Amino acid sequence: MIAILDYGSGNLRSAERAFATAGNEVVVTSDRTIALEAEGLVVPGVGAFAACMSGLNGVDGAAIVRERLAKERPTLGICIGMQIMFSHGTEHSDSAPHPGVGVWDGTVSLLAAPILPHMGWNTVEVDLDSILFKGIEAESFYFVHSYAAKSAVGKMQAWSTQGERFLAAVEDGYMSATQFHPEKSGAAGLALIKNWVGSL
Amino acid sequence: MTLSVRIIPCLDVTDGRVVKGVNFTDLVDAGDPVEMAALYNTEGADELTFLDISASVAGRETTLEVVRRTAEQVFIPLTVGGGIRSVEDVDRLLRAGADKISINTSALARPQLIAEIADRFGSQVLVLSVDARRARTDSGFEVTTHGGRQSAGVDAIAWVEQACVLGVGEILLNSMDADGTRAGYDIGMITAVRAVSKVPLIASGGAGSLEDFSAALDAGADALLAASVFHFGVHRIGDVKRYLGAHNYPVRAVPAQ
């Protein structure tokens, strides 16, 4: 069973439908036990860094993610759900950056690009051993964001560019994340979801 | 790693059917919205836009159902516009499966609505639809409302600048002079808006020949919206993408059938 964590952000219905195409049972939930026990947990996210962290903390999400990692249960972050896995984010911060879950050390900061948000389909530069991108290495994926992580973390990285090079995806044992939206990336996105679900 | 230009078919929906006219009048039936959305997805559309032009509450409810059914089977971004007046309207559409919403008349009536939507859902969900035409204003372009029938009494370029400050994530620029004519996008208007805006810009209105698409990109558009040329089979999505690809514009490959 795949659990999609509902912490008050965005349209979870399309994520639910997209993950269901991989064949598993999918539930949208904010229930701690279900999120903890699910074979795979998806942390989606639409909105600003601090608002999403606040929503995540409202369902004890940071602790759930950490506990799952300790118990070697896979979790996938999407878009802001990737960003808040880092230790810090500078979105809408006047002074000190906002704290994130801190699975990875690093700061998510504004892209230095002439046009923002980075909105649309972009290609990625993929690690040869990638599980997520197997068979879809040359495809494009749908991005919509203005902030990103720019230093390597985890075991494998995928990179993309808008103004500057940034992390498009990370695979790090039981924690994976994509800056783009696989649930909105057509056939290539569904293939990536299937790759992740197949690895559980 | 290059961001592709986006090709976006626009489906004007009323009472559950897609329609298309010239200069927003003389509407003719163009098909079932869910079927057309699925077809355009298969053909390689990069996003889809539904513009609800229903006049009645019942028509709006039907559109909500169309959005719901489309989002269940088409996994590319879906923008919905038309008749959105409040944060609650936005919430309802996002819950039905829209990824972005576009606002126009209601934002002109109360610009603060832009900030309210951006604060609640983020700028990335918010497309400002600007229906503009050539006129004797400071910039030479004015905003219209009610499908281009009335002047809003607002300079188009000044409005775009204000809306960007308030927090829109994207501009959909519709030329009311060019709409449905297939005589080309309004290049001067695209250039003028590009000069004052750092958010993505979607050109709309007037697409006819394949050269029209590349001309709009040269003027600074990031995405190209068209309706009648796609609905009536003048061009397929793949024709536009192959043409642009052959002329070295970055496009997402049309998925294999």
Side-chain angles (χ1 to χ4, degrees):
Chain A
M1 191 250 286
I2 310 290
I4 295 176
L5 189 64
D6 181 357
Y7 59 104
S9 105
N11 165 38
L12 303 177
R13 179 81 181 134
S14 53
E16 181 187 8
R17 293 285 307 179
F19 279 82
T21 64
N24 287 45
E25 187 196 344
V26 181
V27 294
V28 174
T29 185
S30 51
D31 182 276
R32 193 180 200 287
T33 309
I34 295 171
L36 202 54
E37 302 294 330
E39 226 178 318
L41 177 72
V42 179
V43 181
V46 174
F49 191 99
C52 283
M53 267 313 287
S54 158
L56 191 73
N57 287 329
V59 298
D60 204 18
I64 292 169
V65 168
R66 283 194 209 98
E67 198 169 333
R68 285 184 63 89
L69 276 175
K71 293 181 171 168
E72 304 189 339
R73 292 175 186 159
T75 299
L76 175 67
I78 296 174
C79 197
I80 307 293
M82 168 174 176
Q83 296 184 4
I84 57 178
M85 296 306 162
F86 284 80
S87 53
H88 295 93
T90 63
E91 186 173 6
H92 298 173
S93 72
D94 296 326
S95 49
H98 300 292
V101 176
V103 172
W104 297 308
D105 272 328
T107 300
V108 176
S109 58
L110 191 68
L111 284 167
I115 305 281
L116 288 176
H118 172 222
M119 189 179 286
W121 299 78
N122 208 330
T123 47
V124 292
E125 181 191 316
V126 177
D127 196 302
L128 286 176
D129 297 322
S130 167
I131 296 162
L132 286 183
F133 292 93
K134 194 171 169 49
I136 44 171
E137 296 87 350
E139 297 290 339
S140 298
F141 300 89
Y142 189 83
F143 292 82
V144 49
H145 63 117
S146 296
Y147 291 75
K150 298 154 194 177
S151 304
V153 297
K155 294 191 178 70
M156 282 182 276
Q157 301 84 31
W159 299 90
S160 194
T161 306
Q162 169 75 346
E164 61 180 317
R165 200 162 176 261
F166 67 88
L167 269 182
V170 176
E171 292 167 64
D172 191 19
Y174 295 97
M175 187 75 222
S176 304
T178 64
Q179 177 60 70
F180 54 83
H181 287 272
E183 79 282 14
K184 288 289 155 190
S185 296
L190 297 181
L192 183 139
I193 287 169
K194 205 168 180 185
N195 284 345
W196 180 71
V197 170
S199 75
L200 298 177
Chain B
M1 310 304 108
T2 309
L3 183 62
S4 295
V5 300
R6 285 170 285 154
I7 307 299
I8 308 173
C10 177
L11 297 94
D12 294 329
V13 179
T14 182
D15 298 311
R17 296 293 292 178
V18 176
V19 294
K20 189 57 202 168
V22 176
N23 300 114
F24 272 64
T25 57
D26 302 327
L27 300 177
V28 295
D29 190 276
D32 174 71
V34 182
E35 278 176 24
M36 288 176 72
L39 176 67
Y40 286 139
N41 172 51
T42 307
E43 290 190 341
D46 297 309
E47 282 183 24
L48 294 166
T49 292
F50 279 149
L51 190 57
D52 184 354
I53 58 172
S54 306
S56 66
V57 173
R60 299 245 182 264
E61 286 301 320
T62 307
T63 300
L64 209 58
E65 188 51 34
V66 166
V67 170
R68 208 169 278 130
R69 284 165 53 215
T70 304
E72 288 195 351
Q73 49 179 285
V74 178
F75 299 105
I76 61 173
L78 184 58
T79 302
V80 183
I84 296 163
R85 292 189 178 82
S86 64
V87 166
E88 289 68 35
D89 289 341
V90 175
D91 190 41
R92 204 170 303 128
L93 281 164
L94 294 179
R95 284 178 190 278
D99 299 290
K100 300 190 256 189
I101 60 95
S102 79
I103 56 171
N104 179 352
T105 311
S106 57
L108 284 161
R110 201 169 66 81
Q112 197 55 29
L113 180 62
I114 293 171
E116 290 170 12
I117 295 170
D119 285 350
R120 170 90 178 267
F121 302 104
S123 289
Q124 81 289 335
V125 308
L126 183 54
V127 183
L128 180 73
S129 180
V130 181
D131 292 346
R133 66 184 175 196
R134 288 175 179 258
R136 294 186 177 191
T137 62
D138 286 351
S139 70
F141 305 101
E142 72 169 355
V143 181
T144 66
T145 60
H146 300 85
R149 290 192 298 275
Q150 292 177 21
S151 169
V154 174
D155 182 85
I157 302 304
W159 173 229
V160 166
E161 287 182 300
Q162 184 189 356
C164 286
V165 171
L166 286 166
V168 296
E170 199 168 19
I171 305 283
L172 168 56
L173 181 65
N174 313 300
S175 165
M176 289 298 108
D177 299 317
D179 181 74
T181 63
R182 299 184 199 163
Y185 292 98
D186 189 331
I187 298 303
M189 190 185 283
I190 295 167
T191 307
V193 170
R194 174 78 292 162
V196 298
S197 143
K198 290 185 164 58
V199 299
L201 173 60
I202 307 166
S204 165
S209 71
L210 294 172
E211 291 79 3
D212 292 340
F213 290 91
S214 54
L217 297 174
D218 293 341
D222 301 292
L224 304 163
L225 182 141
S228 63
V229 290
F230 294 139
H231 301 338
F232 300 126
V234 178
H235 305 299
R236 307 287 289 267
I237 306 269
D239 298 335
V240 177
K241 290 196 158 186
R242 273 185 292 276
Y243 173 84
L244 292 175
H247 290 79
N248 295 317
Y249 296 90
V251 289
R252 179 176 71 111
V254 176
Q257 301 292 305

